[in-house]
Amino acid sequence: MTCSTCGTENRAGRKFCSNCGAPLARACPACGAANDPDDRFCGECGAPLEPEPRAQTAEAERRLVSVLFGDLVGFTPLSEDQDPEAVRELLSRYFDTARRVIERYGGTVEKFIGDAVMAVWGTPIAREDDAERAVRAGLELVEIVSTLGEGLAMRVGVVTGEAAVTIGAEGQGMVAGDLVNTASRVQATATAGTVLVGERTRRASEAAIAYEDAGAHELKGKSEPVPLWRAARVIASRRGEGRATGLEAPFVGRERELRLIKDLFHAASDERRARLVSIIGIAGIGKTRLSSEFERYIDGLVGDDY
């Protein structure tokens, strides 16, 4: 603030000039009249002396993202015969599990809608393998949700494309556009316990994910049938590294053991306490395959601990 007596420039908030001691007056931006430093409105014309703060307008930009939409199947009949407290506890475990799995693969939960979840990869952090991580998360979700309650299952849809992303937004409102609606429609087309993806997602992740053709489907809002693929399993490390050159049989008969190793791994990471796992068995029983499946699993996770 400039002293009207001696012309010295004083820092904001001073009531008297640091050079001559004269009272500092605040000039009205509307009429130029002098006002006391503590005045909020001009005594001459009534105009505000403090400029009103500008509303922050959210900035948006187009980005390549992958959107996951998942929904519970069988929850309504399961909850009908249960105590409301038990239902609430089940939903809480589901929400916590879904968020934990999605974040482990580098995704961000955009919102929960009832018992459905929407997550996005590509914002606020973008990675080259976002589409693959989204599919990996979907496969993990349909597997782990089935263990939360008898008769409970999940179906997932994943699509990749350009969407309007709100810069700096967290949670609901991060992503908007037709891509979100498409992900929801693809999810609704999937059967319980399956992950369906669009063509762009398949192309971006097929080096590490095995797919089966699910045919073309009529989706609401789409003028032509949309080709979809069912994600079967992870067959390599990220971006296809370590993929077998020949045909590889599906991993069967050791799902419980693999889940146990995964749980122990995350417990060791969360608790900062070592775990020792011994895999013992006769030759040809699948020890090497079990360890390779676990290596593929942790390769898709994000974080310094993995």
Side-chain angles (χ1 to χ4, degrees), residues 239-302:
R239 295 184 291 273
E241 295 203 9
R243 180 170 179 169
T245 54
L247 293 176
E248 183 180 76
F251 181 72
V252 294
R254 292 288 182 268
E255 292 84 2
R256 186 170 63 86
E257 289 83 357
L258 180 59
R259 172 53 53 191
L260 175 61
I261 297 174
K262 290 178 180 179
D263 291 342
L264 289 172
F265 168 76
H266 290 295
S269 175
D270 295 339
E271 299 171 10
R272 303 292 179 180
R273 189 160 59 91
R275 299 290 201 280
L276 175 64
V277 177
S278 298
I279 303 176
I280 303 172
I282 61 174
I285 201 171
K287 301 186 296 296
T288 301
R289 178 64 184 276
L290 181 61
S291 61
S292 67
E293 289 291 331
F294 176 65
E295 289 176 2
R296 292 173 181 176
Y297 167 73
I298 60 176
D299 186 64
L301 304 177
V302 298

Side-chain angles (χ1 to χ4, degrees), residues 54-138:
R54 292 184 177 179
Q56 294 291 328
T57 56
E59 295 185 11
E61 68 178 26
R62 296 174 69 91
R63 283 191 184 179
L64 180 67
V65 298
S66 291
V67 176
L68 178 150
F69 223 103
D71 193 16
L72 288 182
V73 180
F75 175 74
T76 300
L78 181 67
S79 61
E80 284 179 347
D81 300 327
Q82 292 197 26
D83 182 79
E85 288 296 321
V87 174
R88 185 177 65 83
E89 174 64 23
L90 175 60
L91 273 179
S92 296
R93 284 192 293 130
Y94 160 65
F95 292 148
D96 292 341
T97 298
R99 185 180 297 277
R100 185 168 62 249
V101 169
I102 288 166
E103 291 179 350
R104 281 175 180 172
Y105 286 94
T108 302
V109 174
E110 214 262 10
K111 58 187 171 184
F112 287 103
I113 314 167
D115 54 14
V117 59
M118 174 187 162
V120 61
W121 280 256
T123 183
I125 298 174
R127 302 178 179 86
E128 292 182 0
D129 52 7
D130 279 328
E132 180 187 323
R133 291 182 186 273
V135 179
R136 283 174 175 260

Side-chain angles (χ1 to χ4, degrees), residues 190-272:
T191 57
T194 64
V195 178
L196 287 185
V197 308
E199 183 174 6
R200 198 164 183 177
T201 303
R202 179 190 64 84
R203 291 201 312 265
S205 59
E206 61 184 352
I209 310 291
Y211 288 101
E212 298 173 359
D213 190 349
H217 295 262
E218 299 279 353
L219 301 183
K220 186 178 179 180
K222 299 295 182 181
S223 57
E224 297 181 0
V226 177
L228 299 175
W229 283 265
R230 185 177 72 85
R233 61 189 184 278
V234 178
I235 56 175
S237 298
R238 281 182 297 127
R239 295 184 291 273
E241 295 203 9
R243 180 170 179 169
T245 54
L247 293 176
E248 183 180 76
F251 181 72
V252 294
R254 292 288 182 268
E255 292 84 2
R256 186 170 63 86
E257 289 83 357
L258 180 59
R259 172 53 53 191
L260 175 61
I261 297 174
K262 290 178 180 179
D263 291 342
L264 289 172
F265 168 76
H266 290 295
S269 175
D270 295 339
E271 299 171 10
R272 303 292 179 180

